Amino acid sequence: MNLVKIFSLILVLSVAFQSCELLEPVDENRYTLDRAYNDPAYAEGILIKAYTNLPTNSLSFNDVATDNAVSNDNFNSYRRAATGEWSSKYNPFNEWDRCNEAILYLNYFLDNVVDSVEWKWTEPQLTMLYRKRFKGEAYALRALFKYHLLITMGGIGQNNELLGFPIYEKSIESDFDEFNKPRAGFIESINSIYSDISKSLEQFTMDKFVNINSADELPEGYKDVTEISFYDDVFGNNANQR
């Protein structure tokens, strides 16, 4: 073997080894859920994600899917549905995915996040208050999304049984069988909604978020809060839109 062939072989092998090194995967430049346990703002984002799925989260122009209005945008999702593109794969009215996605986020938040995060590590009372408020919000939101599932998916089954929706009340990691739940009965679905409302009301003892002026105004369940400012920080005016 002459020197040219030897040099060529060495060059090919060196490039091959370098290519293997270049193709080694590196960690993706994105955050994982592990960040939630050390970053309260990030952890709260899991709850906020459910808020973004509310049907009233943005203006709705679904009249253009009916004879009441017409959109001049050829790519308007409702116009496309009204003119023949509405299918199981393309469905701008999809309550099933929207509501269940929010419920699964809320389940993860309730099961894995809300009691594990030090929401205010400098003040244990604030952490306690945030946990109560966030739990109240999460259960109320879950009840609301269940309600939207019920009014859009509830109906008569094949055996003339009045059905509701599949009930997911625990965090699901990766077990596909846990997703493959049958629809619960209508009454069972109603009871599930009321159960979440009751759990929410256990945390909320006032009918609105409002600042208080004295310790005498602390609601039942919060009489042991030592600073009015703590209560106002969590349950005061700044939480009004929640």
Side-chain angles (χ1 to χ4, degrees):
M1 183 180 290
N2 59 34
L3 290 176
V4 174
K5 290 183 177 179
I6 293 174
F7 178 77
S8 299
L9 179 61
I10 293 172
L11 182 63
V12 168
L13 290 175
S14 64
V15 170
F17 284 123
Q18 288 180 2
S19 298
C20 290
E21 292 179 4
L22 289 173
L23 294 175
E24 281 294 318
V26 297
D27 291 336
E28 295 185 35
N29 185 25
R30 65 179 182 180
Y31 292 114
T32 66
L33 286 170
D34 290 337
R35 178 185 172 188
Y37 302 111
N38 300 304
D39 186 342
Y42 187 83
E44 188 180 353
I46 299 172
L47 176 64
I48 297 297
K49 170 59 183 172
Y51 273 103
T52 66
N53 280 29
L54 287 172
T56 56
N57 186 53
S58 59
L59 293 176
S60 176
F61 298 98
N62 54 13
D63 267 6
V64 300
T66 72
D67 293 334
N68 296 335
V70 177
S71 171
N72 59 8
D73 177 7
N74 290 329
F75 297 101
N76 178 278
S77 59
Y78 294 117
R79 172 172 172 166
R80 291 171 64 183
T83 53
E85 291 187 66
W86 191 9
S87 68
S88 59
K89 290 185 177 181
Y90 180 78
N91 182 9
F93 313 97
N94 194 338
E95 295 288 306
W96 180 268
D97 288 350
R98 182 179 60 77
C99 292
N100 277 313
E101 179 188 63
I103 288 171
L104 293 177
Y105 268 94
L106 292 166
N107 289 347
Y108 187 88
F109 183 79
L110 287 166
D111 291 347
N112 302 297
V113 176
V114 67
D115 285 326
S116 301
V117 173
E118 292 295 327
W119 297 101
K120 195 72 172 179
W121 63 269
T122 56
E123 179 46 64
Q125 277 199 357
L126 280 172
T127 289
M128 177 271 293
L129 289 170
Y130 276 115
R131 283 177 180 162
K132 290 178 77 69
R133 194 190 91 190
F134 290 153
K135 284 180 184 178
E137 291 180 53
Y139 283 121
L141 283 169
R142 196 168 73 177
L144 183 58
F145 283 111
K146 288 177 180 178
Y147 163 76
H148 282 289
L149 276 177
L150 186 64
I151 62 175
T152 54
M153 304 299 170
I156 303 295
Q158 291 182 339
N159 297 324
N160 290 324
E161 179 187 3
L162 191 56
L163 297 175
F165 50 83
I167 298 175
Y168 299 105
E169 295 190 337
K170 293 293 180 183
S171 177
I172 298 176
E173 300 299 330
S174 59
D175 189 345
F176 179 77
D177 289 337
E178 292 187 58
F179 284 99
N180 194 24
K181 279 191 173 185
R183 292 163 67 189
F186 189 85
I187 297 300
E188 185 182 356
S189 299
I190 289 285
N191 290 337
S192 175
I193 294 171
Y194 275 111
S195 174
D196 279 350
I197 292 172
S198 296
K199 291 174 183 176
S200 178
L201 291 174
E202 290 174 6
Q203 314 301 326
F204 295 136
T205 54
M206 295 184 70
D207 60 357
K208 59 184 176 181
F209 293 118
V210 62
N211 288 350
I212 61 176
N213 299 312
S214 70
D216 294 336
E217 296 180 48
L218 284 168
E220 292 299 323
Y222 296 91
K223 297 294 186 182
D224 57 346
V225 175
T226 57
E227 296 285 343
I228 295 173
S229 61
F230 293 165
Y231 182 86
D232 288 346
D233 284 346
V234 181
F235 289 95
N237 295 334
N238 60 342
N240 253 334
Q241 299 304 312
R242 304 287 283 269

